[in-house]
Amino acid sequence: CAVLAIEGSDPLEGDLSRVKFFYDLGVRVLQLMHYRINEVGDIMTEAPRHKGLTIFGQDVVREINKLGMVIDVAHASPDTVSGVLAASQHPVICSHTGAYALRSNSRHLEDKDMTAISKKGGVIGVWPLLRRRDNFQTYIRELDYVKNLVGADHVGIGTDLFGIASETAIPAHKELALIPAALLTRGYPESDVEKIVGGNFMGVFREVVRRTG
């Protein structure tokens, strides 16, 4: 089963009607930001231009809610994330990020932002990017950190597996099975493992569909 998603709302080009256009094409996840500041808001890795979510961005969030798409705040600046959470009536996801408290990477979320997403009913996908002395166990410990922070109902496996030219904890899709095995070894109940490896993301999709159905 595949879910069509757009990484960055740049294709909207400031035209709200394009949200429905892409929905009609089958897109069900819209990641608002990617690697440039756009008409919707600011990104994590550049100095802010809009001070968060724009007026147009608020309209986009409302339109996404109305249609029943899932909002992804990966790459969005903290102020943009706060604006999305305030504007959205539905839970949102951050499909790929990390814990800033463990690694001061500008792509990662601080604890307060992860907590805010979870309180909205959303899910944080922990990104399997490796840096310097990291290894697979480092990644598992990061999953563990986020789980302890926001609860097992709000953690997922980060996407973007081959999104950059860098080493990842899971160098091939066939090795994804290593993650649930490692979590079970750490004493996670099977019910929590099922949530983390996909159940939580599916829960957001079901909730969004329920609210718009």
Side-chain angles (χ1 to χ4, degrees):
C1 163
V3 178
L4 291 180
I6 293 178
E7 190 168 23
S9 55
D10 304 49
L12 301 182
E13 296 183 323
D15 183 349
L16 187 63
S17 70
R18 291 193 180 183
V19 179
K20 177 77 163 51
F21 171 79
F22 287 115
Y23 176 86
D24 290 342
L25 289 178
V27 173
R28 290 298 180 267
V29 180
L30 182 55
Q31 181 181 307
L32 300 178
M33 318 304 302
H34 194 214
Y35 271 123
R36 78 172 187 91
I37 295 172
N38 60 28
E39 296 85 358
V40 167
D42 296 317
I43 63 174
M44 291 171 149
T45 47
E46 288 188 25
R49 186 183 308 160
H50 302 301
K51 298 182 180 178
L53 190 71
T54 64
I55 298 298
F56 175 70
Q58 293 175 24
D59 290 339
V60 168
V61 168
R62 285 190 286 265
E63 182 70 3
I64 290 173
N65 282 175
K66 184 177 77 174
L67 293 170
M69 299 168 74
V70 172
I71 296 170
D72 184 356
V73 296
H75 289 268
S77 72
D79 285 342
T80 303
V81 172
S82 296
V84 171
L85 292 174
S88 178
Q89 296 180 354
H90 298 171
V92 307
I93 66 171
C94 185
S95 61
H96 53 293
T97 189
Y100 190 87
L102 300 182
R103 194 186 295 106
S104 55
N105 183 323
S106 59
R107 287 284 313 281
H108 292 178
L109 290 176
E110 295 188 20
D111 287 2
K112 63 179 179 62
D113 299 313
M114 290 191 285
T115 300
I117 291 170
S118 70
K119 286 183 176 178
K120 191 80 175 183
V123 177
I124 296 98
V126 181
W127 194 27
L129 175 68
L130 300 183
R131 293 187 183 277
R132 291 189 287 275
R133 294 183 296 276
D134 293 347
N135 55 39
F136 178 74
Q137 290 305 320
T138 308
Y139 176 64
I140 296 301
R141 286 195 294 271
E142 188 163 14
L143 279 172
D144 204 42
Y145 177 88
V146 178
K147 187 271 294 184
N148 288 334
L149 176 70
V150 301
D153 291 340
H154 304 287
V155 188
I157 306 303
T159 56
D160 213 29
L161 187 58
F162 303 116
I164 57 173
S166 181
E167 293 187 28
T168 67
I170 315 296
H173 287 94
K174 66 181 180 181
E175 297 179 21
L176 282 169
L178 296 173
I179 298 175
L183 295 177
L184 289 169
T185 299
R186 291 178 78 88
Y188 279 56
E190 287 188 14
S191 58
D192 284 355
V193 174
E194 289 173 0
K195 294 174 184 177
I196 291 169
V197 300
N200 288 333
F201 280 123
M202 287 302 300
V204 171
F205 277 93
R206 292 191 185 101
E207 179 63 15
V208 168
V209 170
R210 184 189 71 78
R211 295 190 187 193
T212 55

